[in-house]
Amino acid sequence: MLPATLVLTCTSSLSAAHRCIRALTAVQAERGAPQLYTAVTRRTCSSVTAPRITTHYTIRPRDKDPRWEGVEMERFADQADVVIVGGGPAGLSAAIRLKQLANEHQKELRVCLVEKAPQMGAHTLSGACLEPSALTELFPDWKERGAPLNTPVTEDVFNIFTKNHRIPVPILPGLPMQNHGNYLVRLGNFVRWLGEQAEELGVELYPGYAAAEVLFHEDGSVKGVATNDVGIAKDGSPKDVFERGMELHAKVTLFGEGCHGHLAKQLYKQFNLRENCEPQTYAIGLKELWMIDEKKWKPGRTEHSVGWPLDRHTYGGSFLYHLNEGEPLVALGFVVGLDYTNPYLSPFREFQRWKHHPFVAATLEGGQRIAYGARALNEGGFQSIPKLTFPGGLLIGCSPGFMNVPKIKGTHTAMKSGILAAEAIFPKVTAEEADSETAGLHVPEYAESLKSSWVWKELHSVRNIRPSFHNPLGLYGGMIYTGIFYWILRGKEPWTLKHRGLDAHQLKPAKECTPIEYPKPDGKISFDLLSSVALSGTNHEGDQPPHLTLKDDSVPVARNLAVYDGPEQRFCPAGVYEYVPVETGDGMRLQINAQNCVHCKTCDIKDPSQNINWVVPEGGGGPAYNGM
């Protein structure tokens, strides 16, 4: 426990906040590092009968649990002008722009940013081919500042794959896959650099502290956030080192959690933000880094493909980028739309199979895989953008979803949204008298400025490309539509196509589908799941309630396994979910290996029963990506 004086003292001073942070850090340091689940530990866990799967307090309230009687639940509170949730490109761009404006106008402005990763960029994963437009707006001198954009694109290659051959497709000027002027980057390194720029400007960064709860004023407006509690045992009981999280209050809170943020999900419901937009649709992106034979290395070359191994009715594609990082490094990945219908499909195994295509294998043979990871991404585009502002807060970046799907780029639009958010809220948070009907400031000007920016124009122009895929010809029909209505008409057609609906509702029952036979990994080009997860550096405190919570523990076996043959054991790219025999009698049970979770959010999105709710684990847990 922290001293009672620290727990009960509520102050807005910076030194007090730092004392609280140091105390929480000391608690975290007492915990040991867990290991990935292996076959041995799975057998061990299978032999223990657990009375329930979900023990997290969001499902099992603590006020009804006698083990929590008498436990001190007071939280330290601190006050800032602006609190930002999420240290990705959007959140950091907003923080930087706010401090730039404060310095230009000689205003005192306290900006605090919380990030669940232990270091800035450690949970960041993207291709990534970066369009530098927003970066140039933020830092016109980014080259002089040493931004890690080391690889300008020199060559674009686009192919349609069949099983053993490829059909080259010319990339005409103006098509989305034309990358002249863009840079191949390791986005985690870029985010770390943005963090350094933010700190130099005076932004307070708090990596390793996950925002777990939205706080509200009595009038219903957002008050701020609370970081997660630490020191809770796996069975949901308090440990001796239990400590409450801290509250961060602000005039306005920016939510930039990334794709499918768990707090954004709450805000959608609280303020009905998705009332006038279509449901978001998603994809899962899987990525590896390889060191290859230097003779095969072509720095600046981008390679994209569609087609095999996916059928024409399953949306997806690949990328392979030759980076110029002083060594023969390539980033490669595979994207699968999460509106696929066959429950037997495994995105991870499709990725491993894709690497055996002769055109890809020729690059990888003789090389060494050095990193692996996965992340969900927004694909809904223009049609799926929710209402962006509400009393006390607003949504930025990939949380609401500003990705340009045909370009496979969202960093530039995410950064621009953060810049526009900062410029909209700055006059209000620095005004001597608040111009707001609620305690938490409402800033509708942000949405207005976004709609008049190049972000809105860009997303509107490509709005029909992704949904055009849903036609009898599938992939080929979508390509024809893109060629006619985007390349020729530049997206000016007077209609807007619709998506299918929630990705979770697209799976067909297993009895209506054909099982997919995947080849065994060869250990040279393709690999098994657990050895892949080991390369992600994933690490969670083992003795904590699983952060993959179930609303109803009976649903996985009764519905997901019975109807869909347990699709969570295939769509998860980290081996978190598996069905194992019950310890006594016949039947199966779901086992959740939460330590393996790479925070991709796919389970929360694709679960056909919408029974899985992803919440943040103890701060600092998750993957440890190094420049992914």
PDB file of all heavy atoms in Angstrom, residues 136-150:
ATOM      1  N   THR A 136       5.389  17.286 -42.184  1.00  0.00           N
ATOM      2  CA  THR A 136       5.944  18.547 -42.653  1.00  0.00           C
ATOM      3  C   THR A 136       5.184  19.730 -42.071  1.00  0.00           C
ATOM      4  O   THR A 136       5.781  20.774 -41.752  1.00  0.00           O
ATOM      5  CB  THR A 136       5.914  18.588 -44.195  1.00  0.00           C
ATOM      6  OG1 THR A 136       6.678  17.487 -44.703  1.00  0.00           O
ATOM      7  CG2 THR A 136       6.507  19.883 -44.723  1.00  0.00           C
ATOM      8  N   GLU A 137       3.867  19.582 -41.896  1.00  0.00           N
ATOM      9  CA  GLU A 137       3.095  20.642 -41.249  1.00  0.00           C
ATOM     10  C   GLU A 137       3.518  20.820 -39.791  1.00  0.00           C
ATOM     11  O   GLU A 137       3.597  21.942 -39.290  1.00  0.00           O
ATOM     12  CB  GLU A 137       1.604  20.321 -41.314  1.00  0.00           C
ATOM     13  CG  GLU A 137       1.001  20.373 -42.706  1.00  0.00           C
ATOM     14  CD  GLU A 137      -0.495  20.101 -42.692  1.00  0.00           C
ATOM     15  OE1 GLU A 137      -1.141  20.388 -41.656  1.00  0.00           O
ATOM     16  OE2 GLU A 137      -1.026  19.584 -43.693  1.00  0.00           O
ATOM     17  N   LEU A 138       3.784  19.711 -39.116  1.00  0.00           N
ATOM     18  CA  LEU A 138       4.134  19.758 -37.695  1.00  0.00           C
ATOM     19  C   LEU A 138       5.558  20.248 -37.492  1.00  0.00           C
ATOM     20  O   LEU A 138       5.824  21.096 -36.619  1.00  0.00           O
ATOM     21  CB  LEU A 138       3.957  18.360 -37.092  1.00  0.00           C
ATOM     22  CG  LEU A 138       3.978  18.227 -35.577  1.00  0.00           C
ATOM     23  CD1 LEU A 138       2.816  18.992 -34.954  1.00  0.00           C
ATOM     24  CD2 LEU A 138       3.920  16.752 -35.167  1.00  0.00           C
ATOM     25  N   PHE A 139       6.477  19.716 -38.273  1.00  0.00           N
ATOM     26  CA  PHE A 139       7.891  20.083 -38.189  1.00  0.00           C
ATOM     27  C   PHE A 139       8.431  20.293 -39.607  1.00  0.00           C
ATOM     28  O   PHE A 139       8.902  19.337 -40.240  1.00  0.00           O
ATOM     29  CB  PHE A 139       8.713  18.983 -37.502  1.00  0.00           C
ATOM     30  CG  PHE A 139       8.473  18.827 -36.031  1.00  0.00           C
ATOM     31  CD1 PHE A 139       7.957  17.645 -35.528  1.00  0.00           C
ATOM     32  CD2 PHE A 139       8.752  19.861 -35.150  1.00  0.00           C
ATOM     33  CE1 PHE A 139       7.731  17.480 -34.169  1.00  0.00           C
ATOM     34  CE2 PHE A 139       8.534  19.718 -33.785  1.00  0.00           C
ATOM     35  CZ  PHE A 139       8.024  18.536 -33.294  1.00  0.00           C
ATOM     36  N   PRO A 140       8.357  21.497 -40.141  1.00  0.00           N
ATOM     37  CA  PRO A 140       8.920  21.732 -41.474  1.00  0.00           C
ATOM     38  C   PRO A 140      10.396  21.347 -41.579  1.00  0.00           C
ATOM     39  O   PRO A 140      10.873  21.010 -42.657  1.00  0.00           O
ATOM     40  CB  PRO A 140       8.717  23.236 -41.674  1.00  0.00           C
ATOM     41  CG  PRO A 140       7.568  23.595 -40.778  1.00  0.00           C
ATOM     42  CD  PRO A 140       7.718  22.700 -39.584  1.00  0.00           C
ATOM     43  N   ASP A 141      11.094  21.369 -40.451  1.00  0.00           N
ATOM     44  CA  ASP A 141      12.526  21.040 -40.429  1.00  0.00           C
ATOM     45  C   ASP A 141      12.778  19.621 -39.925  1.00  0.00           C
ATOM     46  O   ASP A 141      13.798  19.355 -39.283  1.00  0.00           O
ATOM     47  CB  ASP A 141      13.282  22.034 -39.550  1.00  0.00           C
ATOM     48  CG  ASP A 141      12.783  22.040 -38.098  1.00  0.00           C
ATOM     49  OD1 ASP A 141      11.661  21.542 -37.842  1.00  0.00           O
ATOM     50  OD2 ASP A 141      13.508  22.546 -37.223  1.00  0.00           O
ATOM     51  N   TRP A 142      11.862  18.697 -40.233  1.00  0.00           N
ATOM     52  CA  TRP A 142      11.993  17.342 -39.675  1.00  0.00           C
ATOM     53  C   TRP A 142      13.277  16.641 -40.094  1.00  0.00           C
ATOM     54  O   TRP A 142      13.826  15.823 -39.339  1.00  0.00           O
ATOM     55  CB  TRP A 142      10.779  16.482 -40.000  1.00  0.00           C
ATOM     56  CG  TRP A 142      10.431  16.304 -41.455  1.00  0.00           C
ATOM     57  CD1 TRP A 142       9.535  17.027 -42.175  1.00  0.00           C
ATOM     58  CD2 TRP A 142      10.952  15.318 -42.362  1.00  0.00           C
ATOM     59  NE1 TRP A 142       9.448  16.576 -43.462  1.00  0.00           N
ATOM     60  CE2 TRP A 142      10.308  15.531 -43.611  1.00  0.00           C
ATOM     61  CE3 TRP A 142      11.879  14.295 -42.247  1.00  0.00           C
ATOM     62  CZ2 TRP A 142      10.582  14.742 -44.731  1.00  0.00           C
ATOM     63  CZ3 TRP A 142      12.156  13.498 -43.367  1.00  0.00           C
ATOM     64  CH2 TRP A 142      11.515  13.721 -44.582  1.00  0.00           C
ATOM     65  N   LYS A 143      13.796  16.955 -41.253  1.00  0.00           N
ATOM     66  CA  LYS A 143      15.057  16.337 -41.676  1.00  0.00           C
ATOM     67  C   LYS A 143      16.201  16.807 -40.793  1.00  0.00           C
ATOM     68  O   LYS A 143      17.038  16.000 -40.347  1.00  0.00           O
ATOM     69  CB  LYS A 143      15.339  16.669 -43.140  1.00  0.00           C
ATOM     70  CG  LYS A 143      14.394  15.992 -44.132  1.00  0.00           C
ATOM     71  CD  LYS A 143      14.770  16.296 -45.568  1.00  0.00           C
ATOM     72  CE  LYS A 143      13.818  15.605 -46.545  1.00  0.00           C
ATOM     73  NZ  LYS A 143      14.161  15.906 -47.958  1.00  0.00           N
ATOM     74  N   GLU A 144      16.244  18.092 -40.505  1.00  0.00           N
ATOM     75  CA  GLU A 144      17.306  18.632 -39.645  1.00  0.00           C
ATOM     76  C   GLU A 144      17.178  18.108 -38.216  1.00  0.00           C
ATOM     77  O   GLU A 144      18.177  17.977 -37.505  1.00  0.00           O
ATOM     78  CB  GLU A 144      17.253  20.163 -39.652  1.00  0.00           C
ATOM     79  CG  GLU A 144      17.655  20.823 -40.963  1.00  0.00           C
ATOM     80  CD  GLU A 144      16.592  20.738 -42.051  1.00  0.00           C
ATOM     81  OE1 GLU A 144      15.412  20.398 -41.721  1.00  0.00           O
ATOM     82  OE2 GLU A 144      16.909  20.991 -43.226  1.00  0.00           O
ATOM     83  N   ARG A 145      15.959  17.808 -37.803  1.00  0.00           N
ATOM     84  CA  ARG A 145      15.738  17.286 -36.446  1.00  0.00           C
ATOM     85  C   ARG A 145      16.080  15.804 -36.331  1.00  0.00           C
ATOM     86  O   ARG A 145      16.040  15.243 -35.239  1.00  0.00           O
ATOM     87  CB  ARG A 145      14.271  17.496 -36.042  1.00  0.00           C
ATOM     88  CG  ARG A 145      13.908  18.953 -35.764  1.00  0.00           C
ATOM     89  CD  ARG A 145      12.415  19.095 -35.525  1.00  0.00           C
ATOM     90  NE  ARG A 145      12.055  20.436 -35.094  1.00  0.00           N
ATOM     91  CZ  ARG A 145      11.940  20.817 -33.817  1.00  0.00           C
ATOM     92  NH1 ARG A 145      12.148  19.940 -32.850  1.00  0.00           N
ATOM     93  NH2 ARG A 145      11.626  22.045 -33.513  1.00  0.00           N
ATOM     94  N   GLY A 146      16.377  15.168 -37.443  1.00  0.00           N
ATOM     95  CA  GLY A 146      16.782  13.768 -37.397  1.00  0.00           C
ATOM     96  C   GLY A 146      15.649  12.776 -37.364  1.00  0.00           C
ATOM     97  O   GLY A 146      15.800  11.667 -36.820  1.00  0.00           O
ATOM     98  N   ALA A 147      14.500  13.118 -37.946  1.00  0.00           N
ATOM     99  CA  ALA A 147      13.389  12.159 -38.004  1.00  0.00           C
ATOM    100  C   ALA A 147      13.843  10.903 -38.736  1.00  0.00           C
ATOM    101  O   ALA A 147      14.497  10.981 -39.775  1.00  0.00           O
ATOM    102  CB  ALA A 147      12.189  12.781 -38.713  1.00  0.00           C
ATOM    103  N   PRO A 148      13.500   9.732 -38.205  1.00  0.00           N
ATOM    104  CA  PRO A 148      14.006   8.474 -38.781  1.00  0.00           C
ATOM    105  C   PRO A 148      13.265   8.043 -40.051  1.00  0.00           C
ATOM    106  O   PRO A 148      12.698   6.957 -40.123  1.00  0.00           O
ATOM    107  CB  PRO A 148      13.819   7.471 -37.643  1.00  0.00           C
ATOM    108  CG  PRO A 148      12.633   7.982 -36.898  1.00  0.00           C
ATOM    109  CD  PRO A 148      12.712   9.487 -36.977  1.00  0.00           C
ATOM    110  N   LEU A 149      13.277   8.909 -41.045  1.00  0.00           N
ATOM    111  CA  LEU A 149      12.736   8.586 -42.367  1.00  0.00           C
ATOM    112  C   LEU A 149      13.937   8.376 -43.283  1.00  0.00           C
ATOM    113  O   LEU A 149      14.420   9.311 -43.937  1.00  0.00           O
ATOM    114  CB  LEU A 149      11.840   9.717 -42.887  1.00  0.00           C
ATOM    115  CG  LEU A 149      10.372   9.739 -42.405  1.00  0.00           C
ATOM    116  CD1 LEU A 149      10.297   9.986 -40.907  1.00  0.00           C
ATOM    117  CD2 LEU A 149       9.587  10.819 -43.143  1.00  0.00           C
ATOM    118  N   ASN A 150      14.432   7.156 -43.297  1.00  0.00           N
ATOM    119  CA  ASN A 150      15.708   6.862 -43.952  1.00  0.00           C
ATOM    120  C   ASN A 150      15.575   6.289 -45.351  1.00  0.00           C
ATOM    121  O   ASN A 150      16.568   6.183 -46.066  1.00  0.00           O
ATOM    122  CB  ASN A 150      16.512   5.879 -43.088  1.00  0.00           C
ATOM    123  CG  ASN A 150      16.723   6.393 -41.674  1.00  0.00           C
ATOM    124  OD1 ASN A 150      17.038   7.565 -41.472  1.00  0.00           O
ATOM    125  ND2 ASN A 150      16.549   5.523 -40.690  1.00  0.00           N
TER     126      ASN A 150
END
